[in-house]
Amino acid sequence: MSNEVKVAVTGAYRQAFPRFVHVQPVPDQFFYGQCDGVRYAATRFQATSGATQEELVGMQDEGSVTKYFRATTGSGWSYLTSDAFPRGARGCGDVPAIPEALSAAWGNCAM
C-alpha cells in the first residue's frame, strides 16, 4: 500500500467531516485491502500541528473511533462509517460494511 492511499483516504475523511482539516491517520494503525474488486481502508485519525482548538476538542471523540472507507474502480475513496462507541467486541468484524473475510485478514482491526 502506498502513501497515496493514506492521502486519498485522509482527503475522503476531510470531505465527509470538513471541520477536521489538520488530521492524519494514526501511525501503524492503517488497514487496507480488497475484496471482489472493491478497495477498503480503516484507520483512526489524530490532529496534526496547526490544528485549531475546535479540531483538538472534536478529535477527542472522533479520534477515538476507527473510520471505514471504500473505493471502486473509477471512483475515489468515500467514507462509509465509524465504529460504535464503545467499540464492538469484534472490532471491524462488527461493522457490516466491511466484508468478513477482510476483517478476519485485518485481525478485526485490533489496535
Side-chain angles (χ1 to χ4, degrees):
M1 183 219 26
S2 70
N3 194 48
E4 289 176 31
V5 171
K6 288 182 181 180
V7 169
V9 166
T10 302
Y13 179 65
R14 288 178 181 143
Q15 185 173 5
F17 297 90
R19 70 179 191 251
F20 296 118
V21 175
H22 300 92
V23 295
Q24 69 183 13
V26 173
D28 302 319
Q29 295 187 14
F30 194 95
F31 298 90
Y32 171 78
Q34 185 170 332
C35 276
D36 298 325
V38 178
R39 297 176 295 157
Y40 294 90
T43 191
R44 288 180 20 222
F45 289 91
Q46 65 184 18
T48 61
S49 64
T52 65
Q53 185 66 27
E54 179 184 354
E55 287 174 302
L56 293 172
V57 170
M59 288 305 292
Q60 290 177 10
D61 293 331
E62 277 296 315
S64 65
V65 295
T66 302
K67 313 296 183 292
Y68 300 92
F69 303 84
R70 69 177 267 161
T72 57
T73 303
S75 74
W77 286 94
S78 61
Y79 169 77
L80 283 174
T81 191
S82 296
D83 272 339
F85 189 79
R87 188 172 195 222
R90 293 182 344 127
C92 60
D94 288 335
V95 178
I98 302 300
E100 293 224 10
L102 192 55
S103 67
W106 290 347
N108 287 329
C109 303
M111 297 187 188

